Amino acid sequence: GGVLNFDSPSQSMSVMWLLAFSIVLLEFLGESARDVGRRRTWLLVWLGVLSFCVMGGKVSAALPALAGVGLVAMVGLIRRPEWRGRALMALAVVVVAAGVSFVLLLAGSAGGGGLTLGSLVDRASSQQGLNPLNDPNSVVFGTAILLVAIAVRWAGLAWLAGSRASRWEPATVFGVGLAVSSLLAVVAFNSFNEIWFSVAASGPLAVLTAVGAGEASRYLAHGEPRRGNRQVVGALVAAVVVYGVVWALWATGASGGNVWVSTWRWAGPLVGVLLALLLGWVIGRGAPRGRRIASVLAATSVILVFATAPGRLLGVGTGQVGIQQAGLKNEWFSIGKVPSVRDRDERVVGEWTSDQMSAAAWLRSHAARDDLLATNLTFGPFVPGVTGLRTYVSAIQYQAPYGAPADAAELLAREGRVWDFIEGPTATTVQPLCRAGVRWIWVDLAQTAVRDWQPFADIVFNTADTTVLQVNPAACP
C-alpha cells in the first residue's frame, strides 16, 4: 500500500528509499558487517545517502526512521550487545545526513502539510468514518480505533517482540521504533496527514511482520511439519472469515465521505481483533498446556497478518474510502482548496479525456526535452505530468503551501502572465513568455473563450477540449 500509492508520489518514492535504508542499516548492524574495512565504510556512506534522501523525500518517512535508529542505539547502550558501537555510529551518520537534508531542502517552507498538535479537527479517523458519534469524545475514541486498525497490520512484529530469541535483535528493535513513533504521530497530529507516518513505516514493517508470521507459524507446528501445515491452513480460512466480517462493517460507511454519518464502520477493527482472538483460541487450544497461551497468540497473529493483507488493494478497487463531498460541511472538517494562493485557475483535474492525452502524446513527440511549456491549467500538476516537459508555472496546489513563502507571489505573477496572454494575445502580453523562453502553450479550452492567438502563436494541435500553441519566434524580438 505504501509503494502502490497514487495519492502521494513523494510517499511512494520515500517508502522505497526507506526500505533501502532499512536493509543497509540492518546489514551494517548484522554479523556480516563485523569485518573492519572498505565494506563497513561503504555501508555507512550509503546509510548517509539514504538518510539524506528519505528526509528530503518525506518527513513522515524520515521521523519513524530516526526513531527506529535512535531506539536501536538506546537499547545498545543499555544492554551492551556486541553491535553497540555500530549502532552509535549509525545514529551519528543518520542524524547528520538527515539534518543536512532538512536544512537544505525543507527548512523555511511555507507549510508543513497542515499538521498541528492536539486538534480534533481534520482527523484521519473522521475522514475514514471511524468515529462512533458526532462529538469530541467520539473523535478521541475514533482515533483509538484507528490505532487498533493500524497496529494489527504489524501483528507479526508483535510476535518477534514477544519472543525471547528475537526480542532484542536490531531488526526487531528497529521495527518497534518505527511502529511506536508512527502511532504516536497519529495521536499527536491532525490534518488527515498524520496517517502518512504509519503508511511510510509500513514498508519495512511489512517485511518484519511477514518474518514474525513465519516464526509464529513454526511455533504452531511444534516441530511437526504436517501439523504446522494444517494450522496455517486453518489460520488462512479464519483470516478470510475475519476479513469478510470487517469488510461488511466497513462498507456500511461507503457513502459517508467527510461528513458524519452513523455507520458501523468504527466497529470493524474492534470486531476483527476480537474475532481473530476467538478463532486463534480455536486453532491453538490443542497445544500442550505449557504452550497453549503462546499457541493461541501465535495463531491470532498469523490470522491478523493474513486478514489485513488484501485490505489496501480491495479498499481502493471498490472505492470504499472516505472522500470530500462538495457542499457537505461538518465541524470536524475544515480542509478545502489551498487558500489565497491563486486567483484564476479553479480546475482540479481528477480524470482526463482522450483528447488531452492525444495533446500530451503530440507534445512528447514534437517538443525537445528541455523546451519550456506554459499552460492555463496552473493549479495542479497534470500538464507536466502527462507531457514530461518543464512548465513556466504549474502545481501551485503544491508549490505554494510547501515551497518557500517568498515564492508564492512569483507563482501568482507567472500564472497571471500566462492567463493574460491566453485571454488577450497582444505584443505586450506575449513578451513575458518570450523572455522566459516559453516555446509551447497548452490551452484548456474550458477556461477561455479565445480561439485565435495570431500572429503571436500558431495552433499546431487542436482537439475539442485542448489546443497546443507554438510561440511565433517573430513575436519575440
Side-chain angles (χ1 to χ4, degrees):
V3 176
L4 300 176
N5 190 303
F6 305 102
D7 299 328
S8 174
S10 61
Q11 178 76 11
S12 302
M13 175 180 64
S14 299
V15 169
M16 295 302 294
W17 280 339
L18 181 57
L19 283 165
F21 170 92
S22 303
I23 292 170
V24 173
L25 171 69
L26 297 178
E27 183 74 8
F28 178 72
L29 295 174
E31 291 184 357
S32 61
R34 281 179 177 172
D35 296 334
V36 177
R38 184 176 299 178
R39 174 178 169 79
R40 176 180 291 186
T41 300
W42 275 110
L43 285 171
L44 273 178
V45 169
W46 278 113
L47 193 63
V49 170
L50 289 165
S51 300
F52 185 95
C53 292
V54 173
M55 177 62 79
K58 201 86 167 176
V59 172
S60 54
L63 291 186
L66 285 168
V69 177
L71 186 60
V72 170
M74 183 183 301
V75 169
L77 286 173
I78 295 172
R79 295 185 58 83
R80 305 179 69 82
E82 57 89 17
W83 44 262
R84 177 182 73 254
R86 295 198 297 274
L88 293 175
M89 281 192 291
L91 178 63
V93 169
V94 169
V95 169
V96 170
V100 171
S101 178
F102 182 85
V103 171
L104 294 180
L105 303 177
L106 302 177
S109 64
L115 292 174
T116 57
L117 286 169
S119 174
L120 295 179
V121 178
D122 296 330
R123 284 276 178 173
S125 65
S126 303
Q127 185 187 42
Q128 296 300 322
L130 294 177
N131 302 338
L133 298 172
N134 190 26
D135 60 59
N137 293 330
S138 191
V139 176
V140 174
F141 189 41
T143 299
I145 294 174
L146 178 60
L147 294 177
V148 173
I150 295 171
V152 296
R153 300 182 67 86
W154 309 329
L157 175 66
W159 179 261
L160 293 179
S163 171
R164 289 182 180 180
S166 57
R167 182 178 303 157
W168 301 114
E169 289 295 316
T172 304
V173 176
F174 176 65
V176 170
L178 290 172
V180 173
S181 60
S182 61
L183 291 177
L184 287 175
V186 174
V187 174
F189 298 124
N190 71 313
S191 187
F192 303 152
N193 289 331
E194 72 267 28
I195 200 72
W196 290 115
F197 294 85
S198 296
V199 174
S202 287
L205 285 174
V207 180
L208 292 171
T209 206
V211 172
E215 294 296 327
S217 299
R218 277 189 282 273
Y219 186 88
L220 283 174
H222 307 327
E224 303 174 24
R226 185 173 298 177
R227 172 187 173 86
N229 291 337
R230 290 198 302 269
Q231 302 284 50
V232 172
V233 171
L236 178 59
V237 173
V240 172
V241 174
V242 171
Y243 183 81
V245 172
V246 174
W247 184 252
L249 293 170
W250 174 260
T252 63
S255 62
N258 284 353
V259 62
W260 188 82
V261 177
S262 180
T263 73
W264 284 100
R265 179 175 282 193
W266 60 272
L270 303 180
V271 172
V273 171
L274 292 175
L275 186 57
L277 279 169
L278 175 62
L279 296 174
W281 177 79
V282 172
I283 293 173
R285 65 176 178 172
R289 183 178 299 274
R291 299 170 59 98
R292 189 167 300 162
I293 294 177
S295 295
V296 169
L297 294 176
T300 301
S301 66
V302 174
I303 291 171
L304 289 173
V305 171
F306 279 139
T308 56
R312 171 70 180 175
L313 179 64
L314 294 182
V316 172
T318 57
Q320 303 285 307
V321 179
I323 57 172
Q324 180 73 48
Q325 295 186 8
L328 295 177
K329 297 187 180 297
N330 183 277
E331 60 179 317
W332 306 117
F333 301 95
S334 66
I335 286 183
K337 289 185 178 180
V338 179
S340 304
V341 296
R342 47 88 182 110
D343 59 358
R344 296 206 178 184
D345 183 16
E346 296 283 341
R347 184 172 181 188
V348 177
V349 180
E351 57 187 37
W352 45 83
T353 67
S354 58
D355 285 345
Q356 287 175 318
M357 299 313 292
S358 297
W362 189 93
L363 275 168
R364 291 196 302 270
S365 299
H366 292 80
R369 292 293 297 172
D370 58 349
D371 281 353
L372 188 62
L373 173 68
T375 179
N376 60 345
L377 282 175
T378 46
F379 182 65
F382 172 72
V383 172
V386 295
T387 63
L389 297 175
R390 297 178 303 132
T391 51
Y392 179 58
V393 62
S394 63
I396 293 177
Q397 172 187 13
Y398 296 106
Q399 294 198 62
Y402 298 120
D407 291 344
E410 176 63 17
L411 290 171
L412 293 177
R414 290 192 181 197
E415 180 190 47
R417 293 166 199 152
V418 176
W419 277 67
D420 286 345
F421 173 73
I422 291 176
E423 293 298 304
T426 66
T428 300
T429 57
V430 77
Q431 289 311 306
L433 305 185
C434 290
R435 287 193 294 269
V438 172
R439 185 179 181 189
W440 311 95
I441 302 174
W442 174 300
V443 181
D444 182 66
L445 297 177
Q447 301 199 100
T448 180
V450 179
R451 295 295 185 269
D452 183 14
W453 293 269
Q454 288 282 359
F456 312 104
D458 302 320
I459 296 176
V460 291
F461 188 86
N462 196 40
T463 68
D465 55 30
T466 304
T467 291
V468 177
L469 307 176
Q470 183 173 16
V471 176
N472 188 345
C476 301

PDB file of all heavy atoms in Angstrom, residues 290-314:
ATOM      1  N   GLY A 290       1.617 -26.140  28.619  1.00  0.00           N
ATOM      2  CA  GLY A 290       2.640 -25.112  28.780  1.00  0.00           C
ATOM      3  C   GLY A 290       2.806 -24.210  27.572  1.00  0.00           C
ATOM      4  O   GLY A 290       3.450 -23.159  27.658  1.00  0.00           O
ATOM      5  N   ARG A 291       2.258 -24.611  26.443  1.00  0.00           N
ATOM      6  CA  ARG A 291       2.394 -23.830  25.209  1.00  0.00           C
ATOM      7  C   ARG A 291       1.064 -23.255  24.730  1.00  0.00           C
ATOM      8  O   ARG A 291       1.006 -22.624  23.676  1.00  0.00           O
ATOM      9  CB  ARG A 291       2.975 -24.723  24.096  1.00  0.00           C
ATOM     10  CG  ARG A 291       4.352 -25.274  24.385  1.00  0.00           C
ATOM     11  CD  ARG A 291       4.732 -26.339  23.360  1.00  0.00           C
ATOM     12  NE  ARG A 291       4.725 -25.824  22.009  1.00  0.00           N
ATOM     13  CZ  ARG A 291       5.830 -25.410  21.371  1.00  0.00           C
ATOM     14  NH1 ARG A 291       6.992 -25.443  21.983  1.00  0.00           N
ATOM     15  NH2 ARG A 291       5.753 -24.968  20.140  1.00  0.00           N
ATOM     16  N   ARG A 292      -0.006 -23.493  25.492  1.00  0.00           N
ATOM     17  CA  ARG A 292      -1.343 -23.168  24.981  1.00  0.00           C
ATOM     18  C   ARG A 292      -1.531 -21.679  24.746  1.00  0.00           C
ATOM     19  O   ARG A 292      -1.982 -21.251  23.679  1.00  0.00           O
ATOM     20  CB  ARG A 292      -2.401 -23.702  25.942  1.00  0.00           C
ATOM     21  CG  ARG A 292      -3.821 -23.604  25.397  1.00  0.00           C
ATOM     22  CD  ARG A 292      -4.760 -24.422  26.250  1.00  0.00           C
ATOM     23  NE  ARG A 292      -4.351 -25.831  26.259  1.00  0.00           N
ATOM     24  CZ  ARG A 292      -4.757 -26.713  27.156  1.00  0.00           C
ATOM     25  NH1 ARG A 292      -5.574 -26.335  28.146  1.00  0.00           N
ATOM     26  NH2 ARG A 292      -4.372 -27.972  27.099  1.00  0.00           N
ATOM     27  N   ILE A 293      -1.205 -20.844  25.737  1.00  0.00           N
ATOM     28  CA  ILE A 293      -1.411 -19.395  25.586  1.00  0.00           C
ATOM     29  C   ILE A 293      -0.578 -18.855  24.435  1.00  0.00           C
ATOM     30  O   ILE A 293      -1.055 -18.089  23.590  1.00  0.00           O
ATOM     31  CB  ILE A 293      -1.079 -18.663  26.903  1.00  0.00           C
ATOM     32  CG1 ILE A 293      -2.065 -19.065  27.991  1.00  0.00           C
ATOM     33  CG2 ILE A 293      -1.109 -17.144  26.686  1.00  0.00           C
ATOM     34  CD1 ILE A 293      -1.768 -18.431  29.347  1.00  0.00           C
ATOM     35  N   ALA A 294       0.702 -19.263  24.383  1.00  0.00           N
ATOM     36  CA  ALA A 294       1.572 -18.795  23.301  1.00  0.00           C
ATOM     37  C   ALA A 294       1.059 -19.271  21.946  1.00  0.00           C
ATOM     38  O   ALA A 294       1.141 -18.542  20.943  1.00  0.00           O
ATOM     39  CB  ALA A 294       2.999 -19.278  23.538  1.00  0.00           C
ATOM     40  N   SER A 295       0.521 -20.496  21.887  1.00  0.00           N
ATOM     41  CA  SER A 295      -0.005 -21.010  20.617  1.00  0.00           C
ATOM     42  C   SER A 295      -1.226 -20.222  20.157  1.00  0.00           C
ATOM     43  O   SER A 295      -1.400 -19.951  18.962  1.00  0.00           O
ATOM     44  CB  SER A 295      -0.355 -22.498  20.752  1.00  0.00           C
ATOM     45  OG  SER A 295       0.800 -23.266  20.990  1.00  0.00           O
ATOM     46  N   VAL A 296      -2.095 -19.869  21.112  1.00  0.00           N
ATOM     47  CA  VAL A 296      -3.258 -19.044  20.771  1.00  0.00           C
ATOM     48  C   VAL A 296      -2.813 -17.691  20.230  1.00  0.00           C
ATOM     49  O   VAL A 296      -3.342 -17.195  19.214  1.00  0.00           O
ATOM     50  CB  VAL A 296      -4.166 -18.867  22.006  1.00  0.00           C
ATOM     51  CG1 VAL A 296      -5.232 -17.801  21.744  1.00  0.00           C
ATOM     52  CG2 VAL A 296      -4.826 -20.190  22.372  1.00  0.00           C
ATOM     53  N   LEU A 297      -1.816 -17.073  20.867  1.00  0.00           N
ATOM     54  CA  LEU A 297      -1.316 -15.777  20.398  1.00  0.00           C
ATOM     55  C   LEU A 297      -0.632 -15.913  19.045  1.00  0.00           C
ATOM     56  O   LEU A 297      -0.759 -15.030  18.181  1.00  0.00           O
ATOM     57  CB  LEU A 297      -0.353 -15.186  21.423  1.00  0.00           C
ATOM     58  CG  LEU A 297      -0.968 -14.796  22.769  1.00  0.00           C
ATOM     59  CD1 LEU A 297       0.103 -14.306  23.724  1.00  0.00           C
ATOM     60  CD2 LEU A 297      -2.042 -13.720  22.574  1.00  0.00           C
ATOM     61  N   ALA A 298       0.082 -17.021  18.856  1.00  0.00           N
ATOM     62  CA  ALA A 298       0.725 -17.241  17.553  1.00  0.00           C
ATOM     63  C   ALA A 298      -0.322 -17.373  16.456  1.00  0.00           C
ATOM     64  O   ALA A 298      -0.204 -16.767  15.371  1.00  0.00           O
ATOM     65  CB  ALA A 298       1.590 -18.494  17.617  1.00  0.00           C
ATOM     66  N   ALA A 299      -1.365 -18.162  16.721  1.00  0.00           N
ATOM     67  CA  ALA A 299      -2.426 -18.326  15.725  1.00  0.00           C
ATOM     68  C   ALA A 299      -3.130 -17.005  15.450  1.00  0.00           C
ATOM     69  O   ALA A 299      -3.441 -16.670  14.289  1.00  0.00           O
ATOM     70  CB  ALA A 299      -3.429 -19.378  16.212  1.00  0.00           C
ATOM     71  N   THR A 300      -3.342 -16.221  16.494  1.00  0.00           N
ATOM     72  CA  THR A 300      -4.014 -14.924  16.323  1.00  0.00           C
ATOM     73  C   THR A 300      -3.184 -13.988  15.465  1.00  0.00           C
ATOM     74  O   THR A 300      -3.707 -13.299  14.577  1.00  0.00           O
ATOM     75  CB  THR A 300      -4.277 -14.283  17.697  1.00  0.00           C
ATOM     76  OG1 THR A 300      -5.094 -15.154  18.470  1.00  0.00           O
ATOM     77  CG2 THR A 300      -4.976 -12.941  17.534  1.00  0.00           C
ATOM     78  N   SER A 301      -1.877 -13.950  15.712  1.00  0.00           N
ATOM     79  CA  SER A 301      -1.023 -13.056  14.923  1.00  0.00           C
ATOM     80  C   SER A 301      -1.002 -13.459  13.460  1.00  0.00           C
ATOM     81  O   SER A 301      -1.038 -12.608  12.566  1.00  0.00           O
ATOM     82  CB  SER A 301       0.398 -13.043  15.504  1.00  0.00           C
ATOM     83  OG  SER A 301       1.023 -14.304  15.355  1.00  0.00           O
ATOM     84  N   VAL A 302      -0.967 -14.784  13.189  1.00  0.00           N
ATOM     85  CA  VAL A 302      -0.984 -15.252  11.795  1.00  0.00           C
ATOM     86  C   VAL A 302      -2.315 -14.888  11.135  1.00  0.00           C
ATOM     87  O   VAL A 302      -2.358 -14.447   9.973  1.00  0.00           O
ATOM     88  CB  VAL A 302      -0.727 -16.769  11.736  1.00  0.00           C
ATOM     89  CG1 VAL A 302      -0.888 -17.277  10.305  1.00  0.00           C
ATOM     90  CG2 VAL A 302       0.669 -17.086  12.256  1.00  0.00           C
ATOM     91  N   ILE A 303      -3.419 -15.075  11.862  1.00  0.00           N
ATOM     92  CA  ILE A 303      -4.732 -14.727  11.315  1.00  0.00           C
ATOM     93  C   ILE A 303      -4.793 -13.242  10.961  1.00  0.00           C
ATOM     94  O   ILE A 303      -5.274 -12.855   9.885  1.00  0.00           O
ATOM     95  CB  ILE A 303      -5.836 -15.081  12.328  1.00  0.00           C
ATOM     96  CG1 ILE A 303      -5.959 -16.599  12.470  1.00  0.00           C
ATOM     97  CG2 ILE A 303      -7.185 -14.490  11.897  1.00  0.00           C
ATOM     98  CD1 ILE A 303      -6.861 -17.040  13.603  1.00  0.00           C
ATOM     99  N   LEU A 304      -4.305 -12.393  11.851  1.00  0.00           N
ATOM    100  CA  LEU A 304      -4.366 -10.948  11.609  1.00  0.00           C
ATOM    101  C   LEU A 304      -3.522 -10.549  10.405  1.00  0.00           C
ATOM    102  O   LEU A 304      -3.926  -9.695   9.606  1.00  0.00           O
ATOM    103  CB  LEU A 304      -3.906 -10.193  12.860  1.00  0.00           C
ATOM    104  CG  LEU A 304      -4.866 -10.229  14.048  1.00  0.00           C
ATOM    105  CD1 LEU A 304      -4.234  -9.595  15.271  1.00  0.00           C
ATOM    106  CD2 LEU A 304      -6.182  -9.529  13.703  1.00  0.00           C
ATOM    107  N   VAL A 305      -2.344 -11.165  10.270  1.00  0.00           N
ATOM    108  CA  VAL A 305      -1.494 -10.841   9.116  1.00  0.00           C
ATOM    109  C   VAL A 305      -2.187 -11.237   7.824  1.00  0.00           C
ATOM    110  O   VAL A 305      -2.231 -10.470   6.852  1.00  0.00           O
ATOM    111  CB  VAL A 305      -0.123 -11.535   9.245  1.00  0.00           C
ATOM    112  CG1 VAL A 305       0.675 -11.381   7.950  1.00  0.00           C
ATOM    113  CG2 VAL A 305       0.658 -10.949  10.407  1.00  0.00           C
ATOM    114  N   PHE A 306      -2.762 -12.446   7.794  1.00  0.00           N
ATOM    115  CA  PHE A 306      -3.489 -12.880   6.598  1.00  0.00           C
ATOM    116  C   PHE A 306      -4.705 -11.976   6.337  1.00  0.00           C
ATOM    117  O   PHE A 306      -4.999 -11.636   5.190  1.00  0.00           O
ATOM    118  CB  PHE A 306      -3.976 -14.323   6.759  1.00  0.00           C
ATOM    119  CG  PHE A 306      -2.929 -15.361   6.490  1.00  0.00           C
ATOM    120  CD1 PHE A 306      -2.827 -16.481   7.293  1.00  0.00           C
ATOM    121  CD2 PHE A 306      -2.058 -15.229   5.427  1.00  0.00           C
ATOM    122  CE1 PHE A 306      -1.873 -17.455   7.050  1.00  0.00           C
ATOM    123  CE2 PHE A 306      -1.092 -16.192   5.168  1.00  0.00           C
ATOM    124  CZ  PHE A 306      -0.998 -17.307   5.989  1.00  0.00           C
ATOM    125  N   ALA A 307      -5.415 -11.601   7.387  1.00  0.00           N
ATOM    126  CA  ALA A 307      -6.666 -10.856   7.214  1.00  0.00           C
ATOM    127  C   ALA A 307      -6.435  -9.443   6.712  1.00  0.00           C
ATOM    128  O   ALA A 307      -7.285  -8.882   6.007  1.00  0.00           O
ATOM    129  CB  ALA A 307      -7.426 -10.812   8.540  1.00  0.00           C
ATOM    130  N   THR A 308      -5.312  -8.839   7.071  1.00  0.00           N
ATOM    131  CA  THR A 308      -5.079  -7.447   6.667  1.00  0.00           C
ATOM    132  C   THR A 308      -4.395  -7.328   5.314  1.00  0.00           C
ATOM    133  O   THR A 308      -4.368  -6.247   4.735  1.00  0.00           O
ATOM    134  CB  THR A 308      -4.223  -6.729   7.724  1.00  0.00           C
ATOM    135  OG1 THR A 308      -2.994  -7.452   7.911  1.00  0.00           O
ATOM    136  CG2 THR A 308      -4.944  -6.628   9.047  1.00  0.00           C
ATOM    137  N   ALA A 309      -3.849  -8.425   4.795  1.00  0.00           N
ATOM    138  CA  ALA A 309      -3.064  -8.345   3.560  1.00  0.00           C
ATOM    139  C   ALA A 309      -3.811  -7.732   2.374  1.00  0.00           C
ATOM    140  O   ALA A 309      -3.268  -6.867   1.685  1.00  0.00           O
ATOM    141  CB  ALA A 309      -2.525  -9.728   3.204  1.00  0.00           C
ATOM    142  N   PRO A 310      -5.069  -8.147   2.088  1.00  0.00           N
ATOM    143  CA  PRO A 310      -5.721  -7.615   0.879  1.00  0.00           C
ATOM    144  C   PRO A 310      -6.452  -6.291   1.083  1.00  0.00           C
ATOM    145  O   PRO A 310      -7.075  -5.786   0.162  1.00  0.00           O
ATOM    146  CB  PRO A 310      -6.725  -8.718   0.525  1.00  0.00           C
ATOM    147  CG  PRO A 310      -7.119  -9.272   1.862  1.00  0.00           C
ATOM    148  CD  PRO A 310      -5.891  -9.185   2.730  1.00  0.00           C
ATOM    149  N   GLY A 311      -6.386  -5.720   2.289  1.00  0.00           N
ATOM    150  CA  GLY A 311      -7.226  -4.562   2.591  1.00  0.00           C
ATOM    151  C   GLY A 311      -6.986  -3.373   1.693  1.00  0.00           C
ATOM    152  O   GLY A 311      -7.932  -2.760   1.181  1.00  0.00           O
ATOM    153  N   ARG A 312      -5.724  -3.006   1.476  1.00  0.00           N
ATOM    154  CA  ARG A 312      -5.427  -1.821   0.673  1.00  0.00           C
ATOM    155  C   ARG A 312      -5.904  -1.999  -0.764  1.00  0.00           C
ATOM    156  O   ARG A 312      -6.544  -1.117  -1.330  1.00  0.00           O
ATOM    157  CB  ARG A 312      -3.921  -1.554   0.702  1.00  0.00           C
ATOM    158  CG  ARG A 312      -3.435  -0.493  -0.264  1.00  0.00           C
ATOM    159  CD  ARG A 312      -3.888   0.897   0.145  1.00  0.00           C
ATOM    160  NE  ARG A 312      -3.412   1.895  -0.794  1.00  0.00           N
ATOM    161  CZ  ARG A 312      -3.730   3.169  -0.744  1.00  0.00           C
ATOM    162  NH1 ARG A 312      -4.508   3.602   0.211  1.00  0.00           N
ATOM    163  NH2 ARG A 312      -3.270   4.028  -1.624  1.00  0.00           N
ATOM    164  N   LEU A 313      -5.613  -3.143  -1.348  1.00  0.00           N
ATOM    165  CA  LEU A 313      -5.975  -3.370  -2.748  1.00  0.00           C
ATOM    166  C   LEU A 313      -7.483  -3.312  -2.950  1.00  0.00           C
ATOM    167  O   LEU A 313      -7.982  -2.608  -3.825  1.00  0.00           O
ATOM    168  CB  LEU A 313      -5.437  -4.720  -3.210  1.00  0.00           C
ATOM    169  CG  LEU A 313      -5.765  -5.117  -4.650  1.00  0.00           C
ATOM    170  CD1 LEU A 313      -5.122  -4.156  -5.628  1.00  0.00           C
ATOM    171  CD2 LEU A 313      -5.307  -6.535  -4.932  1.00  0.00           C
ATOM    172  N   LEU A 314      -8.238  -4.037  -2.110  1.00  0.00           N
ATOM    173  CA  LEU A 314      -9.686  -4.070  -2.273  1.00  0.00           C
ATOM    174  C   LEU A 314     -10.315  -2.739  -1.874  1.00  0.00           C
ATOM    175  O   LEU A 314     -11.320  -2.326  -2.438  1.00  0.00           O
ATOM    176  CB  LEU A 314     -10.272  -5.208  -1.447  1.00  0.00           C
ATOM    177  CG  LEU A 314      -9.895  -6.620  -1.897  1.00  0.00           C
ATOM    178  CD1 LEU A 314     -10.588  -7.664  -1.031  1.00  0.00           C
ATOM    179  CD2 LEU A 314     -10.251  -6.843  -3.355  1.00  0.00           C
TER     180      LEU A 314
END
